Amino acid sequence: MKIARYKKVHRYMNFFRNSYGFRLPYQILIDGTFCVAAKKGKVNIAEQLPKYFGGPVKILTTQCVILETENFGKQLFSALVIVKQFKHHRCGHEGKPIPAFECLMSMLGAKNENRYIIATQDFILQKAASHIPGVPVLYLHEQTPTLKPPSETSTRMANLSGRERFAVNEVQREALLANKKRLGIEEEVQPERKHRKRFKGPNPLSCKKKKKKQQQQPPPQPISSGSMPNNVEPELKPKRKRKRTKIPQHIKEHFREMLNNKDK
Ligand SMILES: [Zn+2]
């Protein structure tokens, strides 16, 4: 069972490494609910998570998460002790704390550019995070850290090519066109692209053609200058004759008759 579990993590994280650039040490963003579950299951997060991911990890949280856990009072005191032992990343809400859910979602942003793994027992946060491409979601299944398989959004975006991923939508395209018209750039951009194609195209093609011609021409020279000139000369001549003999004799005669008629 254990081996199968590690294989799964390895497979899932390989996906995030290849498609979204995740690298060790992974940054794991935890919330209060994860710490509550860790306390209940007596899971030492700092020890178990590096083992689970097969390498060093950075366990992080935010000021908003700490404050929210703190607000629950004595009930979550033990969870608060756990969450406080980890470094907290600046979330931008210092002095004006917001709910942990909103804070963590803002940390992920639209593309999870900082490559966080989100660790939470909050089902709503798990679901919301799964709609952002490239967010691995971790939770505790009783005492076992469990990484969810990559979400549909993550796999769909990973399958798109680079161009499609960064493609501008219609609204953005219209805005771009409007800006170009204002600045008068629109007409200048198109010829630049054409020039690039022209410069790029001919060079490799012309090089290849020259090589082929040079390679094909030299072989007959050494043969003709070889020790058997008598055998070679007849070989070259028939090739020319064959081309001429493609016209059948009766057609030749027909042409001659035609020419004779014209002369008359
Ligand atoms: Zn915050």
Side-chain angles (χ1 to χ4, degrees), residues 179-194:
N179 281 334
K180 281 177 183 176
K181 278 177 185 174
R182 278 178 209 160
L183 299 167
I185 297 169
E186 196 184 4
E187 290 177 1
E188 292 174 9
V189 174
Q190 288 172 347
E192 277 180 11
R193 287 177 182 172
K194 284 177 185 174

Side-chain angles (χ1 to χ4, degrees), residues 61-65 67 89-94 96-100 102-104 106-107:
T61 190
T62 69
Q63 192 67 42
C64 297
V65 169
L67 285 171
H89 260 194
R90 283 184 183 178
C91 58
H93 313 121
E94 286 77 14
K96 291 180 181 177
I98 60 170
E102 289 174 26
C103 175
L104 295 176
S106 75
M107 293 289 279

Side-chain angles (χ1 to χ4, degrees), residues 117-185:
I117 295 169
I118 194 97
T120 181
Q121 303 295 106
D122 179 2
F123 183 70
I124 297 168
L125 180 55
Q126 288 177 8
K127 203 174 181 182
S130 71
H131 290 305
I132 301 167
V135 180
V137 177
L138 182 77
Y139 68 98
L140 284 174
H141 181 70
E142 294 177 357
Q143 293 179 321
T144 315
T146 310
L147 192 70
K148 285 195 160 193
S151 68
E152 270 187 37
T153 310
S154 291
T155 47
R156 186 159 39 80
M157 286 300 284
N159 288 333
L160 295 177
S161 67
R163 275 189 184 182
E164 285 170 317
R165 251 196 236 190
F166 300 108
V168 287
N169 60 36
E170 283 182 17
V171 178
Q172 289 171 324
R173 196 172 294 161
E174 281 176 13
L176 277 172
L177 285 171
N179 281 334
K180 281 177 183 176
K181 278 177 185 174
R182 278 178 209 160
L183 299 167
I185 297 169

Side-chain angles (χ1 to χ4, degrees), residues 9-17 22 26 53 117 147:
V9 186
H10 192 67
R11 184 151 45 89
Y12 295 159
M13 282 319 294
N14 254 352
F15 166 82
F16 286 108
R17 287 167 74 94
F22 278 70
Y26 301 132
F53 284 101
I117 295 169
L147 192 70

